[in-house]
Each structure stands twice: as structure tokens, then as C-alpha cells.
Amino acid sequence: MRQAGRYLPEYMAVRKKVDFLTLCKTPELATEVTLQPVDLIGIDAAIIFSDILVIPEAMGMHLEMYEGIGPVFPQPIRNESDAKNLNEIDPAVDLKYVLDAVSLTKKELNRRIPLIGFSGSPWTLMTYMVEGQGSKTFSKVKHLIYTNPKLAHNLLDKIAVAAAAYLCAKIEAGVDAVQIFDTWGGILSPDDFEEFSLQYIRKIISRVKQKNVPIIVFAKGVHFNLNKLAECGADVLGLDWTMNIGAVRKKFGDKVALQGNLDPTILYADHKKIRHDARKILESFGKGSGHIFNLGHGILPDVPPENLKALVNFVKEESAVYHTAETKPE
Ligand code: CP3
């Protein structure tokens, strides 16, 4: 999940000097903010600082980032002629700045901890490309899939090809694992999730699998389709906080490792409550390997960093109980 960001004063100090997209596009600065939570919070894996929307930008869409609104595409894709302007990408050229940030971050990490690369899922990327910005109803992207499914599938396929090439290039540049974010998979009905999201996630996985690094898939709000996700070829399933990790392990724990799933807003609570809820998740998963402790979604900007640090310290201490050499999965 998001590790760097506005909750860190050290990130804000860098952001005072440059805007968000410049930060993403300057490998030295992207490396600096990637390393901040590693050094300040003590997490066990770093995630490269970037954004999922660099792919549509590389395909030719103009991207702007507004304080309080978030990312905006002023010329969204709504019909065939808009879609014609989208290019195939060559990550080595069009997203070179991310690959450079990966190489530099790997060098700076000096094998201390692994580095994770990521991409949005085709469906989640298409929601932003069609809506033009975040949405409550997703009416424009839903309008597209139900009135012009052919165009929607063409777009999704193009994005899947770009995302797969991008993830492969990131792996070649040095990332040790990749994560696919399907933030908006949960707004689709079960059948439509299969048709418009999952089949394209599978397409990415089938292309990235040959690179032999672990693949994590996180889809938010997709209880009804967890069984399909557990079989999509990913090595790890990321869970949001509305699921019971122990119950999910019982069902799918022999197929995939699980990542998650503390509610990120628990970080507003006092340390006692944070420890209590983190322990509940560790207990719920139980003994044995196959659990990456994480938040169930991104950190909010007004969370006190010391609360995150308290969480990380607690998990490092307490999780040892569940991972001693003698413990086998129950
Ligand atoms: O933690 C890290 O350093 C990794 C970097 C990371 C960012 N975005 C940085 C970012 C990752 C993994 C993402 C993924 C991302 N971006 C997703 C998928 C995961 C999720 O959160 O659901 C999505 C949907 C986006 C699109 C996006 N980017 C939105 C909706 C926003 C606005 C958020 C807001 O609160 O305003 C962004 C901006 C963004 N991406 C920020 C960061 C640190 C905040 C930028 C800033 O103002 O400095």
C-alpha cells in the first residue's frame, strides 16, 4: 500500500520544492521518498514511489494532479476517436524515469530489504481514463462498458499489454516483486468483474509470470470473487480490511499467500488499540508462513507517523510468535 506520502513531514518537505508529477519523474527524488518510510518507519519491503496513472500518461494522455481533487485527465477517453490517440508504450523510453528510479533505489537499498514495483489493473486504469478523475458513481465508465463494450474491451486489452510490458521492464530494472492494484474492481457485479477486470489481470499475469518474481494482486471490495482471484495465477492475494483473514486462509491459504489487512484508519487510534487490532489479525491468520502483514488500503494523509511506527514495531515483535521454526500451518 502507499507508504510514502503526505503523512510524513519529510515527504512534505520534498513536495514543497516540486509538484507530485515532477517528484515521480525525478529518479533521485523518487528514490529519496521511497526510502523515507524504510528509514523512518522500519518496514520490511519498500514500494517504489510512483503512481498507477503514469501508464495512461505514457500512452499519451495529459495528466494533472490537483490538491484536494487528486489526479485529473482533462481529455478523457469516451469514444473511438479519443481512443485512437492512445499509443502503445515502450517502457524503456516512455517510462524510463521509473526504471531509473528502480535501479537507483535498489542501489541505495543495498539488499537491505526487497523492492516492490506496481501497476494499476486495466479496469482501474480505465476508470480514471474514462471518468477523467475520481468518481462516486463511475457513471461514465459504466456507460462505456454497457453501451460500447467493444471499445471498452479494446481499451482494456491495450492497457493490459502496456501494464505487462511495464511490469516486466520494472522487474528487469530490479524490483523483487510486483503488485497489481485493482482499486475499483469492487464496483462491478460478479460477472462483469470477470469480464471487464479479471480476464485482463490474468493476461498481465500470464505475461509477467515468466520473469519469476512473486506477483501480488490487490482488489478492493471483491468478496464475491475472491475464489476466482485466488486462482488467477497470482502468488499473493492482498485483502482489504472488510475480510476476515483467517476465514480467507481456510478457504484459499493452500493456493496463495495473503497480504493484509488492517483498516488503515485504525492508525488514528491510540497505540493500545492499534496493537489490539494488529494482534487480532495475526491471531486470525494463525501460525505458519504465508502472511504478509499490511494495511488493507493506503495510509491517509493525517495519520500520525509515530502510530505507524508503533504498529510496525509491534508486528515485528509479535509476529515472531507465529513464525518460529517449529510452527507448521494448522
Ligand atoms: O507508497 C508509495 O510510495 C507508493 C506510491 C503510490 C502512490 N500511488 C503515490 C501517490 C502507489 C502505490 C499509488 C497507487 C495508486 N494511485 C492507486 C492504487 C492504490 C490505491 O490507493 O487505491 C490509485 C487509485 C492511484 C491514483 C491516485 N494517485 C489518487 C486517487 C491520488 C490522490 C490521492 C489523494 O489523497 O489526493 C493519487 C496521488 C498520490 N499518489 C499521492 C501519493 C503519495 C498523493 C500525492 C501528493 O499530493 O503528494
Side-chain angles (χ1 to χ4, degrees):
M1 291 305 147
R2 275 183 221 164
Q3 294 178 346
R6 286 168 294 186
Y7 72 98
L8 279 178
E10 291 80 359
Y11 171 88
M12 289 313 294
V14 178
R15 275 282 277 106
K16 260 202 189 135
K17 293 184 272 178
V18 294
D19 62 66
F20 177 72
L21 289 173
T22 307
L23 178 48
C24 291
K25 290 179 182 182
T26 313
E28 293 72 24
L29 294 179
T31 298
E32 184 183 340
V33 297
T34 300
L35 296 177
Q36 284 173 346
V38 177
D39 298 329
L40 296 165
I41 310 287
I43 49 185
D44 290 324
I47 183 158
I48 191 71
F49 186 83
S50 186
D51 197 83
I52 59 167
L53 300 177
V54 297
I55 290 184
E57 202 205 25
M59 293 172 91
M61 294 186 76
H62 177 63
L63 173 63
E64 291 175 13
M65 194 63 81
Y66 292 109
E67 216 59 54
I69 301 177
V72 174
F73 291 112
Q75 284 110 34
I77 309 288
R78 303 272 164 81
N79 53 43
E80 274 81 1
S81 84
D82 299 333
K84 273 208 190 87
N85 301 325
L86 292 174
N87 311 312
E88 266 185 37
I89 63 159
D90 177 356
V93 178
D94 304 314
L95 291 159
K96 182 175 184 297
Y97 61 88
V98 184
L99 306 180
D100 289 345
V102 167
S103 317
L104 188 57
T105 304
K106 279 294 285 185
K107 197 167 140 239
E108 297 286 324
L109 279 172
N110 197 16
R111 296 173 190 269
R112 266 186 293 164
I113 53 170
L115 179 64
I116 302 171
F118 66 89
S119 164
S121 73
W123 166 251
T124 289
L125 290 176
M126 191 173 80
T127 61
Y128 285 99
M129 292 163 74
V130 173
E131 296 289 336
Q133 62 184 78
S135 170
K136 285 205 170 86
T137 58
F138 296 91
S139 58
K140 298 185 178 68
V141 72
K142 292 234 166 150
H143 186 273
L144 177 78
I145 63 174
Y146 299 128
T147 58
N148 194 349
K150 189 159 168 265
L151 175 60
H153 282 297
N154 281 341
L155 273 171
L156 289 164
D157 198 66
K158 253 191 192 173
I159 302 167
V161 169
Y166 177 52
L167 289 177
C168 287
K170 271 182 168 169
I171 295 166
E172 276 158 27
V175 299
D176 303 284
V178 293
Q179 173 153 341
I180 300 169
F181 286 97
D182 193 14
T183 307
W184 299 121
I187 64 163
L188 291 166
S189 72
D191 288 348
D192 289 341
F193 178 71
E194 168 65 43
E195 180 176 347
F196 294 102
S197 187
L198 195 53
Q199 65 160 316
Y200 296 98
I201 292 177
R202 280 198 208 100
K203 178 161 184 157
I204 296 177
I205 291 175
S206 72
R207 290 177 176 217
V208 174
K209 204 80 185 172
Q210 29 146 348
K211 297 283 178 193
N212 263 323
V213 305
I215 302 173
I216 309 164
V217 169
F218 169 79
K220 193 161 165 284
V222 294
H223 296 253
F224 48 80
N225 273 320
L226 221 47
N227 54 338
K228 286 187 178 167
L229 266 177
E231 283 169 0
C232 75
D235 303 286
V236 184
L237 202 55
L239 304 179
D240 71 34
W241 66 94
T242 63
M243 299 183 208
N244 179 306
I245 195 166
V248 176
R249 185 190 189 192
K250 279 205 182 83
K251 277 192 176 154
F252 312 118
D254 56 336
K255 294 197 184 86
V256 281
L258 301 177
Q259 174 176 283
N261 68 339
L262 187 72
D263 183 339
T265 58
I266 294 289
L267 292 170
Y268 290 134
D270 60 26
H271 292 191
K272 189 160 170 260
K273 168 78 174 158
I274 293 172
R275 285 196 295 268
H276 173 264
D277 280 39
R279 177 179 282 116
K280 271 206 317 211
I281 288 174
L282 291 170
E283 277 172 359
S284 170
F285 184 89
K287 290 191 173 176
S289 61
H291 182 200
I292 302 169
F293 190 95
N294 203 337
L295 299 175
H297 201 197
I299 302 169
L300 295 173
D302 54 350
V303 155
E306 60 273 19
N307 289 7
L308 186 57
K309 199 160 181 191
L311 170 67
V312 168
N313 288 342
F314 174 77
V315 173
K316 281 184 171 173
E317 272 167 43
E318 189 69 13
S319 66
V321 176
Y322 299 88
H323 298 286
T324 52
E326 311 77 65
T327 57
K328 294 217 166 63
E330 284 153 316

